[in-house]
Amino acid sequence: MTTQVFDAIVIGAGIEGSSSAYTLAKHGQKTLLLEQFPLPHSRGSSHGQTRIIRYAYEQDFYSRMMLDAFPLWHTLAKEAAVQLFKQCGVLNLGHQNGKFLTAISSAMSHHGMEFEEISSSQLVQRYPMLQYSPRMAAVLDPRGGVLLADKALAAFQKVFRQLGGVLHDGEPVTAITPGQPLVTVTTTKHRYRAKKVVIAAGPWTGKLVKPLGVSLPFRPTRVTVMYWQETKEGSHASDRFPCLIDGGEEEGGHHIYSLPSDEYPGYVKVCLHIGPEIDPDNRDEVDDSWVRQKVSQYVCSHLPWLRTTPGVVEACIYTNTPDNNPVIDSHPKHKNIIIAAGFSGHGFKLAPVVGKAVSELVLEKPHTYTMSPFALSRFNASSSKL
């Protein structure tokens, strides 16, 4: 068997892997991107038409990263000659002067970002399709909106190929063998070697790194993606209705999010940010009735211009970590193996800067961003097998 040699191999052609491969190719790296499923597919975390993109974060380090992410998304859109973004604003909901909204306002103020604080009475006047208690207020991120997810993923892969990158789909990885100066990656079809290997396989990452002596505290969950039909035609289109993130201060800590009705005309995406734990190879073999019930109750209480039974139901996988921050770090022993996974349901919008951070690890360049929140060491994940 002939073994091909690359500068870098990226395992996983979801949004983080595709962005990482694209960024490495831009830096002149001969890069192979491997995907276990035939593309496009809906088995992981990166499919579907839309995601929320926003500057607003409770954590200051994410807001800093989004300052770079937005222009990088615009660059990709120009390179791929495709529209990737609809600006409709993102409405963050929480208690007036509560922890959630205070943290968002603080992070956005620190970075000089535009935002608007909206009182309970103003909320009712401006958005009659919403119904909340007088305790609830909002912070509007006016420059946020909707990212066209499936087009974004295809754009990264298209430009990656144009840059000379090699993409193999339908080719599962069966083994990763550490080595210096080259790591060996064996698949069901071939064997490859590379100076650096990036593992960005989402919920399958844990299975790939365990033989390398790393036990990750990842918890894959099935997220039920539901769309609810309008009772007033056009009332939730993006020119009238922003994206919405409820910080959960009146929902038992459960974040609920919503996107306008542009994806399926007349249907609004409203979802719970959690779901039942799963084996990613058996994603749909779980009972999600409690999720549907929770979101139905939310729609009934707070979104009175929607029907209370979903008209379209899909599925996605989150790969959650204990602190909801991903791992973006080198293997503790094999520094030419990098892990980028565990994005806990909020990584899509960050993809261009994740690619940048991964490329800095691969190329051994100084870090642009604060990387301590993403360090593998925070989990004590190394085992004695190293």
Side-chain angles (χ1 to χ4, degrees):
M1 179 185 293
T2 302
T3 303
Q4 292 180 267
V5 179
F6 293 86
D7 294 320
I9 296 173
V10 179
I11 301 170
I15 195 65
E16 313 301 349
S18 294
S19 173
S20 298
Y22 154 93
T23 308
L24 288 165
K26 277 196 143 186
H27 282 91
Q29 297 291 289
K30 181 183 178 183
T31 306
L32 169 65
L33 178 59
L34 291 171
E35 169 56 47
Q36 64 174 321
F37 300 116
L39 292 171
H41 70 83
S42 59
R43 299 285 299 277
S45 307
S46 299
H47 58 282
Q49 296 181 53
T50 61
R51 297 293 190 279
I52 294 175
I53 182 169
R54 55 192 163 105
Y55 288 96
Y57 259 104
E58 294 175 84
Q59 301 91 341
D60 180 84
F61 57 87
Y62 283 129
S63 290
R64 163 65 188 92
M65 294 172 83
M66 290 310 300
L67 281 174
D68 287 356
F70 270 86
L72 288 172
W73 278 118
H74 288 303
T75 297
L76 175 65
K78 184 176 180 180
E79 291 170 342
V82 63
Q83 180 187 354
L84 297 179
F85 174 62
K86 291 183 179 181
Q87 183 176 344
C88 62
V90 178
L91 196 65
N92 301 275
L93 292 158
H95 285 162
Q96 184 90 40
N97 301 318
K99 181 180 178 182
F100 180 63
L101 296 185
T102 299
I104 286 173
S105 299
S106 175
M108 296 187 79
S109 294
H110 181 250
H111 293 291
M113 296 171 172
E114 180 184 354
F115 68 94
E116 180 183 358
E117 295 178 333
I118 301 174
S119 69
S120 177
S121 60
Q122 291 171 328
L123 192 62
V124 172
Q125 293 170 1
R126 192 179 300 188
Y127 303 107
M129 70 287 289
L130 301 179
Q131 183 174 286
Y132 291 95
S133 79
R135 293 188 299 270
M136 295 292 279
V139 170
L140 176 66
D141 174 359
R143 294 193 295 163
V146 177
L147 191 63
L148 304 182
D150 51 357
K151 292 182 180 179
L153 180 61
F156 273 129
Q157 294 169 359
K158 173 185 176 180
V159 179
F160 169 66
R161 285 178 163 133
Q162 289 173 346
L163 293 167
V166 179
L167 172 56
H168 290 179
D169 64 343
E171 190 168 343
V173 170
T174 57
I176 302 168
T177 306
Q180 284 289 354
L182 298 175
V183 181
T184 302
V185 175
T186 304
T187 73
T188 54
K189 297 180 179 179
H190 298 287
R191 184 180 297 118
Y192 310 96
R193 304 181 79 190
K195 299 173 186 176
K196 300 289 175 67
V197 168
V198 178
I199 304 172
W204 292 273
T205 300
K207 294 180 181 180
L208 289 173
V209 301
K210 192 171 184 179
L212 303 176
V214 173
S215 179
L216 293 170
F218 287 178
R219 190 172 66 89
T221 59
R222 181 192 191 276
V223 174
T224 305
V225 182
M226 292 170 280
Y227 299 83
W228 311 74
Q229 189 175 16
E230 297 172 326
T231 57
K232 296 187 178 184
E233 185 177 352
S235 58
H236 297 74
S238 58
D239 58 348
R240 301 181 184 182
F241 184 67
C243 297
L244 183 154
I245 298 174
D246 188 326
E249 290 173 320
E250 293 199 341
E251 303 300 326
H254 295 154
H255 287 223
I256 286 180
Y257 64 93
S258 176
L259 288 86
S261 61
D262 297 6
E263 184 171 350
Y264 293 108
Y267 287 81
V268 179
K269 182 190 285 189
V270 188
C271 307
L272 186 63
H273 199 55
I274 60 170
E277 191 166 353
I278 58 162
D279 175 344
D281 291 316
N282 298 286
R283 182 192 65 186
D284 300 321
E285 296 180 9
V286 292
D287 179 9
D288 68 346
S289 58
W290 63 272
V291 175
R292 299 187 190 216
Q293 182 180 11
K294 175 72 177 175
V295 182
S296 180
Q297 290 171 347
Y298 186 91
V299 169
C300 186
S301 298
H302 303 302
L303 298 164
W305 293 3
L306 300 180
R307 298 190 184 279
T308 57
T309 301
V312 179
V313 180
E314 299 174 351
C316 185
I317 297 177
Y318 286 1
T319 308
N320 299 296
T321 65
D323 59 9
N324 294 317
N325 297 327
V327 171
I328 309 173
D329 201 359
S330 300
H331 188 286
K333 181 177 179 182
H334 310 294
K335 298 300 181 182
N336 53 357
I337 298 175
I338 291 93
I339 301 167
F343 287 86
S344 305
H346 66 101
F348 204 105
K349 69 188 75 62
L350 294 162
V353 289
V354 171
K356 183 176 180 179
V358 167
S359 71
E360 289 170 352
L361 286 168
V362 169
L363 300 172
E364 300 178 20
K365 291 186 174 183
H367 300 310
T368 300
Y369 308 111
T370 301
M371 296 300 289
S372 55
F374 315 129
L376 180 63
S377 59
R378 74 190 194 274
F379 297 133
N380 297 316
S382 302
S383 78
S384 59
K385 294 180 182 179
L386 291 175

